[in-house]
Amino acid sequence: MDLAELYQLLGTTLRLATPLLFACLAGLFSERAGIFDIGLEGKMLAAAFASAAVGAYAGLPPLADPFPGQLSGWGLGWPAALLAVLAGIGASVLMALLHGFASITLRGNQLISGVAINFLAAGATVLIGVTLFNLGGQTPNLPDVSRFKEITLPLAETLRGIPLVGPFYADVISGQNLLVYVGLATVPLTWWILFRTRFGLRLRAVGENPGAVDTAGINVARQRYAAVILCGVLCGLGGCYLSMATAAAGFGDEMTAGRGFIALAALIFAKWRPWYALSACLLFGLLEAISAKYQSLDIGLFEIPVQFMQALPYILTVVILAGFVGKAIPPKAGGVPYVKER
Amino acid sequence: MAVTEDVTGQPDAAPTTTAPAIGLTGISKAFGPVQANKDISMTVQRGTIHGIVGENGAGKSTLMSILYGFYKADKGEIKIGGVPTIIHNSDDAIRAGIGMVHQHFMLVQNFTVLENVVLGAEDGALLRPSLAKARDILTSLAKDYELEVDPDAIVGDLAVGLQQRVEILKALYRQADILILDEPTGVLTPSEADHLFRILEGLKAQGKTIILITHKLREIMAITDTVSVMRRGEMTATVKTAETSPAQLAELMVGRRVLLKIEKAPAQVGETVMEIRDLRVVDEDGVERLKSINMDLKRGEILGVAGVAGNGQSALLEVLGGIAAATSGTVTMNGEAMDLTHEADAGKRRDRRIAHVPEDRHKLGLIMPYSAWENACFGYHDRSEYQAKAGLLNRLFMRDDARAKIEKYDVRPPNCDLKAANFSGGNQQKIVIAREIESNPDVLLVGQPTRGVDIGAIEFIHNQIVALRDQGKAILLVSVELEEILALSDRIIVMFDGKISGERLPSETDENDLGLLMAGIDPKANQ
């Protein structure tokens, strides 16, 4: 493998890791506050659909006389992408609030609520999709205004001449879409919020010992809702990424393909810490990139079949969730609804 | 006072110095059908230490939780410093200058001391300035009140005594003038408790008002100025500590005269049931927890095992109870050798009619989320009387059986469907004792039978143990309470460092003598 090939692989890694990263950090906020969330998948799916649907309407040009099955949009230009992202975040936050209502206000079982959200999203996206677009659950291909395209960072070509670092900057760092950079920036931001702000202190406390927070005169439910909403926003971005920033350029049935669960595995792998979350997501991204690039891998003795390569990220998920990666101590009050004694 | 920073949210009307710190009038609170507090009125003077005593479940903690805004009273008025105050939540209580040290600490275990102190009392959206300020204040508080704690230590790594200091610091950081402590010494060693009392004296000298909830009369007599007694949700009396006595307080708590001494007939000691020879236990870390123990257990006697906790008594109970394996040695029961290997288990011991009331009832004695009727037969549920047809359990009989035990052992509330967790400590212990004694054992192993149990229930449990002895059964009683050992035992052995450091008859010894033996010194050895 030469350097160009390696950089290409790393670039793909970054692209594939980004939706995982959004979902993983989303889960981090929620679970650090004591609300377990296996509904990351559903929230991303809902966001992917909502952003694709709104992106299609807002971005496609208006047609005076559309033939059957062709969508006549509003032709909004650049605000289309913004509107689409807002719609995606909105849909995801709505789902998050549902999860919050079930698990905080009604003190329900968080796992069951999460499963319900996944089913709801899987069913509702297709149902609404078929009703609106009549394309078998897909949305129309998004026009460029409703998509995130690669951005070439300044000086990318100028610096290419520097050995090793230059091409790395030009091929891996530069040339990604906006959401990749947003995702990367979210990591230090999350760390800073959690460990350097009052909000973060209370959020972590509420996931460890809500009784301590309550007796300190802080509203436990409000704090947990705030975390759940943040989780919704980040999941929303992850969903938008899938439909607006990948080659899919639109929504497809079940397009999250288990990424919400892989993100959950990454979160456990990362022991609920932001920087570790980045590493974990990059690792999963790398595996996915390898399986996409090398359909089948010849390692001399025998050839690893393509199916195995494709299954690799999922196999690793299982391995991690089975607890092979050291002891991960989840937030102590995680999964437990807060009830005052008696 | 050391803390001079202004805190917003103090009551608008400045409290006058002559007004009592706390005035409660007609406070009532019900949880469903249970009336936890009935029409309670209480006045606490500024700058005093006020004790509240009562049995478990008397409503002490509920009352204080109302004062701290954890629960809302159904009726009644609260005056803080003479000003009527409405307390909806803990935030209101903190603003009114009330701080509370909960029985189960309200601390975030994986936070530092500083973070715990600052939580909820931050000055702004960013942590750094708050933490820096808290560090300064903690330093001065430590100097003023003997409250030294490393501000950067992780709370979970601290000993319980230090964790409690963090709780007190939390309250003082919030400029509490009134400090409520709920059963503060339950988790402390004697020296930690002494230190706590010095801290409380210091706080009182600074003009703070302190409310101390406890069921230990010794502490009340030692440190309080006034004391209120609660019984079954009512406040039965408030007296000056100097003008009362432990016996009077005990009577007020229980509602009848309490015999602090147990009346029992002389023991009718029979033949030896259990012989223990050269019993040794070496744990996984290579520490020798039992060093060649030799003793005999006889019918019709209570053999008391005294000692400071951690000197091998627990290992002894675990081996005899079939929970842990012995390294070497033999134990015979009625002449037959007992299996001391890992093959043994508590069930096999029960088959040989050895019943065990474990030291830690929460961990080993009960399954907390299970109902009382289930807990009342666990461990014996394989016995034929509990079986129905086709390998099923006879639930109807099990429930009847539990009801009978509940009635006989006066478990309150008498509801066999209640979860074990929902009974008070004393009543939980009664369930365990009932189960083990009613299994009709030949040997009863009892560890700390009255730990965390209130006075009325202690008397009852002691009487049950004596009654079993009078039926000719052998009882091995392990307790760290010397009073209990002296009152109950027919013969006493003292353990120190995994060995038996001495044997005494209760008539020939006293607390001093036993105390020396517990430290490994035998005062009679050189005579």
Side-chain angles (χ1 to χ4, degrees), chain A residues 32 192 194-202 204-206 208-209 211-218 332 338 340-342, chain B residues 31 62 68-71 90-91 94 102 105-111 115 118-120 122-128 174:
Chain A
R32 276 280 191 165
W192 184 79
L194 276 182
F195 298 103
R196 286 291 180 270
T197 68
R198 171 175 65 191
F199 177 80
L201 183 77
R202 293 176 176 188
R204 284 182 291 135
V206 97
E208 288 289 334
N209 184 355
V213 176
D214 194 1
T215 51
I218 306 163
K332 217 183 253 160
Y338 178 60
K340 288 189 183 192
E341 290 165 87
R342 275 220 208 211
Chain B
F31 293 103
T62 304
Y68 194 63
F70 221 50
Y71 302 135
S90 303
D91 196 31
I94 294 166
H102 296 262
F105 301 147
M106 292 297 181
L107 296 171
V108 182
Q109 294 286 315
N110 61 356
F111 278 18
E115 286 175 324
V118 157
L119 179 66
E122 309 90 344
D123 294 313
L126 297 185
L127 279 184
R128 207 184 287 268
R174 289 160 172 76

Side-chain angles (χ1 to χ4, degrees), chain A residues 128-168:
Chain A
I128 300 171
V130 168
T131 313
L132 285 183
F133 306 110
N134 207 10
L135 290 170
Q138 300 199 334
T139 59
N141 264 351
L142 291 181
D144 279 357
V145 285
S146 308
R147 295 187 58 200
F148 289 101
K149 306 295 279 184
E150 288 79 22
I151 301 169
T152 306
L153 293 184
L155 301 177
E157 289 312 312
T158 326
L159 296 175
R160 187 181 282 278
I162 307 169
L164 284 176
V165 185
F168 184 78

Side-chain angles (χ1 to χ4, degrees), chain B residues 211-411:
Chain B
I211 297 184
L212 182 69
I213 304 174
T214 182
H215 60 248
K216 294 184 185 166
L217 296 178
R218 198 160 15 110
E219 291 167 5
I220 291 288
M221 299 310 292
I223 193 172
T224 61
D225 299 304
T226 46
V227 52
S228 295
V229 183
M230 288 190 72
R231 168 157 44 97
R232 299 204 184 174
E234 288 176 90
M235 192 152 275
T236 49
T238 297
V239 289
K240 283 207 161 34
T241 311
E243 295 166 6
T244 185
S245 68
Q248 190 199 356
L249 287 177
E251 197 180 323
L252 285 167
M253 274 165 70
V254 185
R256 60 186 157 81
R257 264 184 64 78
V258 179
L259 298 166
L260 292 174
K261 194 121 180 87
I262 301 152
E263 280 180 19
K264 54 174 184 158
Q268 305 291 322
V269 181
E271 78 272 28
T272 300
V273 195
M274 195 185 261
E275 282 179 28
I276 300 171
R277 292 290 173 267
D278 293 323
L279 190 64
R280 278 183 70 240
V281 171
V282 180
D283 68 14
E284 297 132 14
D285 303 327
V287 179
E288 208 174 1
R289 294 180 60 202
L290 285 185
K291 300 172 181 169
S292 189
I293 297 286
N294 287 290
M295 61 191 206
D296 292 336
L297 196 54
K298 299 191 176 82
R299 280 192 200 288
E301 77 165 350
I302 299 175
L303 176 59
V305 180
V308 178
N311 276 287
Q313 307 98 306
S314 304
L316 181 65
L317 278 182
E318 283 173 9
V319 169
L320 296 180
I323 296 166
T327 311
S328 64
T330 57
V331 177
T332 55
M333 188 165 160
N334 297 325
E336 236 179 287
M338 249 164 44
D339 184 4
L340 300 178
T341 64
H342 285 288
E343 300 288 303
D345 60 43
K348 288 181 182 152
R349 292 288 195 270
R350 288 187 163 125
D351 291 343
R352 300 198 57 173
R353 309 180 73 84
I354 300 175
H356 183 190
V357 177
E359 290 183 294
D360 186 340
R361 62 173 166 268
H362 286 185
K363 249 196 216 154
L364 298 174
L366 294 163
I367 302 181
M368 301 308 268
Y370 282 33
S371 60
W373 69 265
E374 288 167 308
N375 274 295
C377 67
F378 272 141
Y380 300 100
H381 52 272
D382 286 340
R383 288 194 171 178
S384 56
E385 64 258 37
Y386 295 121
Q387 307 304 315
K389 285 186 197 115
L392 298 177
L393 290 172
N394 188 344
R395 286 170 58 113
L396 284 177
F397 177 77
M398 287 163 96
R399 291 164 59 90
D400 286 343
D401 180 60
R403 277 196 208 99
K405 286 174 184 165
I406 282 173
E407 199 191 324
K408 183 169 174 194
Y409 287 79
D410 189 27
V411 177

Side-chain angles (χ1 to χ4, degrees), chain A:
Chain A
M1 191 195 298
D2 61 13
L3 203 61
E5 210 177 333
L6 177 69
Y7 284 166
Q8 195 198 355
L9 189 69
L10 292 182
T12 315
T13 299
L14 209 50
R15 270 188 291 283
L16 290 170
T18 300
L20 294 178
L21 187 59
F22 277 121
C24 190
L25 294 173
L28 194 145
F29 274 110
S30 183
E31 302 210 344
R32 276 280 191 165
I35 305 293
F36 280 162
D37 194 353
I38 57 168
L40 297 173
E41 175 88 358
K43 285 200 271 286
M44 275 212 287
L45 196 64
F49 174 77
S51 59
V54 171
Y57 272 111
L60 286 172
L63 300 173
D65 183 23
F67 52 84
Q70 200 185 13
L71 187 71
S72 172
W74 312 324
L76 287 185
W78 67 265
L82 184 69
L83 221 56
V85 170
L86 288 180
I89 290 177
S92 170
V93 167
L94 214 62
M95 293 285 212
L97 285 174
L98 193 65
H99 184 52
F101 183 66
S103 50
I104 303 168
T105 306
L106 300 182
R107 296 169 187 157
N109 184 305
Q110 297 170 9
L111 293 184
I112 292 174
S113 163
V115 170
I117 288 200
N118 288 337
F119 279 122
L120 177 65
T125 48
V126 174
L127 179 74
I128 300 171
V130 168
T131 313
L132 285 183
F133 306 110
N134 207 10
L135 290 170
Q138 300 199 334
T139 59
N141 264 351
L142 291 181
D144 279 357
V145 285
S146 308
R147 295 187 58 200
F148 289 101
K149 306 295 279 184
E150 288 79 22
I151 301 169
T152 306
L153 293 184
L155 301 177
E157 289 312 312
T158 326
L159 296 175
R160 187 181 282 278
I162 307 169
L164 284 176
V165 185
F168 184 78
Y169 179 72
D171 291 339
V172 181
I173 305 292
S174 174
Q176 306 284 5
N177 65 68
L178 179 64
L179 284 182
V180 174
Y181 302 120
V182 172
L184 288 175
T186 311
V187 177
L189 187 67
T190 301
W191 175 85
W192 184 79
I193 289 175
L194 276 182
F195 298 103
R196 286 291 180 270
T197 68
R198 171 175 65 191
F199 177 80
L201 183 77
R202 293 176 176 188
L203 186 137
R204 284 182 291 135
V206 97
E208 288 289 334
N209 184 355
V213 176
D214 194 1
T215 51
I218 306 163
N219 187 323
V220 172
R222 198 179 300 163
Q223 197 66 39
R224 285 190 160 170
Y225 266 111
V228 163
I229 290 171
L230 262 179
C231 168
V233 170
L234 290 177
C235 267
L237 287 171
C240 292
Y241 184 93
L242 291 177
S243 58
M244 297 172 65
T246 64
F251 177 82
D253 187 6
E254 295 286 352
M255 77 181 307
T256 43
R259 285 192 179 82
F261 295 106
I262 295 182
L264 213 53
L267 181 60
I268 295 168
F269 194 21
K271 299 182 179 168
W272 293 269
R273 285 175 290 192
W275 288 105
Y276 286 62
L278 175 64
S279 320
C281 289
L282 285 175
L283 174 66
F284 279 109
L286 178 67
L287 286 174
E288 217 180 314
I290 290 173
S291 72
K293 188 171 169 64
Y294 305 101
Q295 291 294 307
S296 55
L297 200 56
D298 192 350
I299 56 165
L301 288 172
F302 59 92
E303 198 171 86
I304 299 174
V306 55
Q307 289 84 356
F308 181 80
M309 294 305 293
Q310 283 170 350
L312 209 54
Y314 302 92
I315 293 171
L316 186 71
T317 307
V318 171
V319 169
I320 286 172
L321 286 181
F324 282 98
V325 191
K327 199 175 167 198
I329 302 163
K332 217 183 253 160
V336 188
Y338 178 60
V339 189
K340 288 189 183 192
E341 290 165 87
R342 275 220 208 211

Side-chain angles (χ1 to χ4, degrees), chain B residues 500-517:
Chain B
I500 293 177
S501 58
E503 184 173 331
R504 293 283 188 273
L505 292 176
S507 54
E508 297 169 352
T509 185
D510 54 30
E511 296 202 7
N512 288 334
D513 180 39
L514 293 178
L516 285 170
L517 282 173

Side-chain angles (χ1 to χ4, degrees), chain B residues 28-144:
Chain B
S28 291
K29 172 77 184 169
F31 293 103
V34 182
Q35 191 75 32
N37 283 164
K38 270 179 251 174
D39 194 27
I40 287 182
S41 300
M42 180 177 94
T43 306
V44 179
Q45 296 302 331
R46 182 172 296 276
T48 61
I49 299 182
H50 186 102
I52 298 181
V53 287
E55 298 188 273
N56 293 331
K60 300 167 293 189
S61 294
T62 304
L63 185 65
M64 289 306 115
S65 294
I66 288 170
L67 193 51
Y68 194 63
F70 221 50
Y71 302 135
K72 215 178 285 174
D74 302 334
K75 274 208 304 263
E77 191 194 34
I78 300 172
K79 279 186 181 176
I80 304 296
V83 183
T85 310
I86 292 163
I87 299 174
H88 287 298
N89 51 39
S90 303
D91 196 31
D92 292 341
I94 294 166
R95 283 163 193 274
I98 301 171
M100 181 149 178
V101 175
H102 296 262
Q103 188 177 1
H104 305 287
F105 301 147
M106 292 297 181
L107 296 171
V108 182
Q109 294 286 315
N110 61 356
F111 278 18
T112 64
V113 170
L114 266 187
E115 286 175 324
N116 266 294
V117 167
V118 157
L119 179 66
E122 309 90 344
D123 294 313
L126 297 185
L127 279 184
R128 207 184 287 268
S130 306
L131 291 175
K133 177 184 142 191
R135 189 182 296 274
D136 290 344
I137 292 178
L138 245 50
T139 314
S140 64
L141 284 176
K143 250 188 287 168
D144 292 351

